[in-house]
């Protein structure tokens, strides 16, 4: 049944009031949905700290945003490479030194459809290492600061979680034997969701006021595939992006901004476009398939993730 909580047009930034005094951290903001989310939040007076791998692009982005929203716009960046756990640790420490409050950490950055098996500097398959392990460590290191502000963690996943093997291949996490770009991407996005839902379960047993939400952008015209996918995938996506099947990057940002700001949302849910195949249309609560919160798999993944990242959550 289609979600009508926010009316026939779904959630839009028109619902936002002033966000003055609020601080949002977003990973992956030099293009795509992360860039558009930054613009929406800045337009409402929020402070945004961007966590990006490319310093030159980030400096250029800050200039562009200050040109658009004025020299007093509170936007800055911290260099962070999610595929390098040492870089994530260094960035988290810098954030703790320089950012006194976090109202929401939006885990937006990702790589997708890497055509051949690649390993991170820490020895993990690149999509799992970047999309899941990097964010798992970042959230763990910043959790206390988020908790101090009674803030939120927003995990930006993908409908790709519903493809592939629909579970975690624990006996071969790097996919040494059967690497497939789509199946591995699917696993990485499923892992992100399982992290979020397991964290929700852990927080229920405490007095924490941190809220955790999961969303996806639908089919949006972002640079995600063009930056990491193979040639055939990039060409196919370019052609699709010229059709009505693909919405704008700005609309793709609506679900993550909603999850970072809107009150009264359900936590065990998946938010995003609710139109045809959930690829576009009004933003609201969509379909969440139960394999995304399979309890034994979530619990095992949490243990594996703590060991892989060396991050042991004290909750």
């Amino acid at each position: 049944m289609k979600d009508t909580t926010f009316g026939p047009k779904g959630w839009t930034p028109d619902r936002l009031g002033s966000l003055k005094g609020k601080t949002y951290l977003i990973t992956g903001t030099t293009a795509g949905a992360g860039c558009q989310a930054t613009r929406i939040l800045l337009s409402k007076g929020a402070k945004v700290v961007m966590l990006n791998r490319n310093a030159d692009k980030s400096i250029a982005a800050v200039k562009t945003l200050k040109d658009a929203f004025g020299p007093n716009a509170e936007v800055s960046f911290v260099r962070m490479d999610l595929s390098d756990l040492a870089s994530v640790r260094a960035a988290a420490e810098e954030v703790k030194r320089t950012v006194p409050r976090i109202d929401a950490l939006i885990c937006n950055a990702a790589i997708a459809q890497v055509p051949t098996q690649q390993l991170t500097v820490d020895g993990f398959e690149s999509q799992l290492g970047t999309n899941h392990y990097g964010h798992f460590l970042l959230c763990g290191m910043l959790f206390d600061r988020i908790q101090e502000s009674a803030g939120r963690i927003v995990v930006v996943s993908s409908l790709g979680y519903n493809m592939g093997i629909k579970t975690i291949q624990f006996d071969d996490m790097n996919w040494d034997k059967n690497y497939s770009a789509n199946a591995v991407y699917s696993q990485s996005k499923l892992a992100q969701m399982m992290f979020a839902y397991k964290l929700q379960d852990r927080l229920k047993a405490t007095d924490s006021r941190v809220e955790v939400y999961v969303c996806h952008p639908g089919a949006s015209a972002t640079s995600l595939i063009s930056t990491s996918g193979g040639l055939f995938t990039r060409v196919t996506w370019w052609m699709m992006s010229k059709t009505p099947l693909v919405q704008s990057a700005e609309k793709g940002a609506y679900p993550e901004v909603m999850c970072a700001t809107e009150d009264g949302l359900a936590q065990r849910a998946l938010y995003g476009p609710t139109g045809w195949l959930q690829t576009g249309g009004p933003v609201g609560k969509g379909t969440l398939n139960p394999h995304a919160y399979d309890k034994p798999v979530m619990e095992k993944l949490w243990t594996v993730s703590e060991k892989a990242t060396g991050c042991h959550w004290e909750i």
Side-chain angles (χ1 to χ4, degrees), residues 25-55:
L25 270 64
I26 313 178
T27 66
T29 65
T30 56
C35 174
Q36 296 302 321
T38 299
R39 296 181 70 89
I40 293 169
L41 294 169
L42 288 174
S43 74
K44 299 298 180 178
K47 175 179 178 179
V48 178
V49 180
M50 309 184 298
L51 296 107
N52 298 320
R53 178 178 55 186
N54 191 305

Side-chain angles (χ1 to χ4, degrees), residues 284-307:
K285 184 179 178 182
T287 300
L288 174 61
N289 290 304
H291 70 271
Y293 51 93
D294 184 303
K295 187 173 181 179
V297 180
M298 289 196 307
E299 290 177 346
K300 186 171 183 178
L301 177 64
W302 188 281
T303 300
V304 168
S305 301
E306 285 194 327
K307 183 177 180 181

Side-chain angles (χ1 to χ4, degrees), residues 196-206 268 295 298:
Y197 297 135
K198 178 60 180 174
L199 181 56
Q200 291 173 356
D201 290 347
R202 290 172 69 100
L203 292 176
K204 283 179 183 177
T206 73
R268 190 63 114 237
K295 187 173 181 179
M298 289 196 307

